[in-house]
Amino acid sequence: GRFFCGWICPFGLYMDVITIFRKTFKKRYFLLPISFNKFLDKFRYLIFAIIFAIPFFIAPLHSQSFQLALFFAGPFKHWTIFLGPLETLIVPDSGAWIIYGLNLSYPYVRDVMFYSTGFFIQFNAILFIILTFVGSFLVRRLWCRFCPLGLSFAVLNKVKGFSWLPIVHLDKSEEKCTKCGVCKRVCPTQVTEVYENKGGNVSTSICTHCFRCVEMCPYEGCLSVKVAGKSVLSSRNWLEPSETE
Ligand code: SF4
Ligand code: SF4
Ligand code: SF4
């Protein structure tokens, strides 16, 4: 589930490209207060619930809307909001803008335009792009902190009968951890559980499975990525040269 966030999501890639762009300016990112970051992680459950509950509340306002709500359609386009991160810059169908024959769009921007009127259609779209660009420039993977699509993977994994789904795990060996704190510092979404939790599966709902912590943990085999129970990647002791060097 969350593997999608670290390696496939177009909006995630966009935020990573902005991070590279920021590094070229040698600017340091800002960290959100940990308590606020944890609050955002919980807040996503509310956004998630609202997105799926609103259509049923507004159902009486629209003909056939209850049926439409059941089929995830209707006046409130919750599927498109939910799947917003998948909207890429260049889209195959009609985009938010057509410039020199290219269909251009941006995550969520069609929804922003859909719910705006008159002058605010273009204004809100441009404002949204500026805010998400600047936000991602200042804070790593900002949108992932409250993205309902990212949360849905974690929610699905908790549903009875789907517990087999997360075949990719982030594992920690408690004996090998020296509490150096490197994993906490390098994590783009400021996950603290890898540092704080005892051994075993330390994947959390806000972890994007980017495995930066595994790459940077300086103790051999302390962190590892397990796919279907088999270790496929683990941390190396890069502080001291190995005996063969
Ligand atoms: S949390 Fe959302 S925006 Fe971030 S990578 Fe996952 S799906 Fe994309
Ligand atoms: S980087 Fe590795 S050794 Fe350091 S605190 Fe994290 S898990 Fe422990
Ligand atoms: S905890 Fe590790 S794998 Fe998860 S997002 Fe942070 S750095 Fe990436």
Side-chain angles (χ1 to χ4, degrees), residues 170 183 186-189 191 194 206-213:
L170 179 58
C183 52
V186 299
C187 179
T189 47
V191 172
V194 176
I206 204 169
C207 167
T208 61
H209 278 176
C210 68
F211 308 132
R212 182 110 177 97
C213 53

Side-chain angles (χ1 to χ4, degrees), residues 172-173 176-184 194-195 213 216-219 222-223 235:
K172 173 177 163 182
S173 161
K176 292 180 181 169
C177 177
T178 61
K179 293 279 175 195
C180 67
V182 168
C183 52
K184 226 174 17 170
V194 176
Y195 169 82
C213 53
M216 297 310 291
C217 171
Y219 295 97
C222 176
L223 290 180
S235 49

Side-chain angles (χ1 to χ4, degrees), residues 136-156:
S136 307
F137 188 88
L138 298 175
V139 178
R140 296 170 299 170
R141 287 282 186 132
L142 180 66
W143 195 269
C144 299
R145 318 292 178 106
F146 44 88
C147 171
L149 178 59
L151 174 75
S152 69
F153 300 123
V155 169
L156 190 62

Side-chain angles (χ1 to χ4, degrees), residues 172 174 179 192-199 201-204:
K172 173 177 163 182
E174 192 179 2
K179 293 279 175 195
T192 55
E193 285 81 355
V194 176
Y195 169 82
E196 287 162 1
N197 288 7
K198 293 185 174 167
N201 181 6
V202 285
S203 297
T204 55

